[in-house]
Amino acid sequence: MRLIPYYISAMLMVLFYASCNSHQSSKGTEKDIIAEFDGEAIYASEINTIIKQELYDELCRIHNIKKEALEQLINVKLLQKEANKKQLTYQQYIDEYTDAKIKKTGTDSL
């Protein structure tokens, strides 16, 4: 279960690397034109070549945000499952667990 985020990460990295290294000509199709300057077309592929590292960094940042959100969601679902086993609501389970830890270690340890 803990390996799933790493597999997703690896797949995203491979996909991004493959898309960055695809052999496109410097000239794309008309739909890839994003601007014109002095009658000359400027293609998205030209821009992507210039900002390749920045795009990669942003995709990595997005991936890390999604990975953290996935881990949080899994933790919430695991806690909810434990709460259901004890026939408690999520908040009741968290409160009980916290109170038990405080009683066990004492407030000075916190």
Side-chain angles (χ1 to χ4, degrees):
M1 185 72 143
R2 302 243 347 130
L3 294 177
I4 290 173
Y6 297 108
Y7 289 131
I8 293 170
S9 173
M11 289 187 327
L12 286 173
M13 294 293 205
V14 167
L15 178 64
F16 180 75
Y17 183 76
S19 68
C20 285
N21 289 323
S22 62
H23 297 291
Q24 294 179 338
S25 65
S26 62
K27 301 295 182 198
T29 62
E30 276 194 29
K31 69 178 182 176
D32 294 334
I33 296 173
I34 58 171
E36 283 190 27
F37 176 74
D38 200 22
E40 185 178 332
I42 298 174
Y43 296 92
S45 59
E46 294 174 290
I47 300 298
N48 291 342
T49 300
I50 295 169
I51 61 170
K52 187 185 308 187
Q53 185 62 48
E54 288 88 351
L55 290 173
Y56 176 79
D57 293 343
E58 287 301 311
L59 285 174
C60 286
R61 189 176 71 80
I62 290 167
H63 167 74
N64 286 333
I65 291 169
K66 287 182 175 183
K67 179 181 162 193
E68 288 177 26
L70 175 62
E71 288 175 359
Q72 288 175 352
L73 183 59
I74 289 170
N75 288 335
V76 167
K77 288 189 177 286
L78 287 171
L79 288 171
Q80 184 64 54
K81 193 171 189 174
E82 288 299 313
N84 291 344
K85 284 181 187 176
K86 295 186 176 195
Q87 296 179 342
L88 299 171
T89 66
Y90 176 82
Q91 192 58 50
Q92 288 172 329
Y93 181 77
I94 295 295
D95 291 343
E96 260 188 28
Y97 182 83
T98 306
D99 291 343
K101 286 293 181 183
I102 290 172
K103 287 177 184 174
K104 183 177 177 182
T105 60
T107 55
D108 294 336
S109 299
L110 297 175

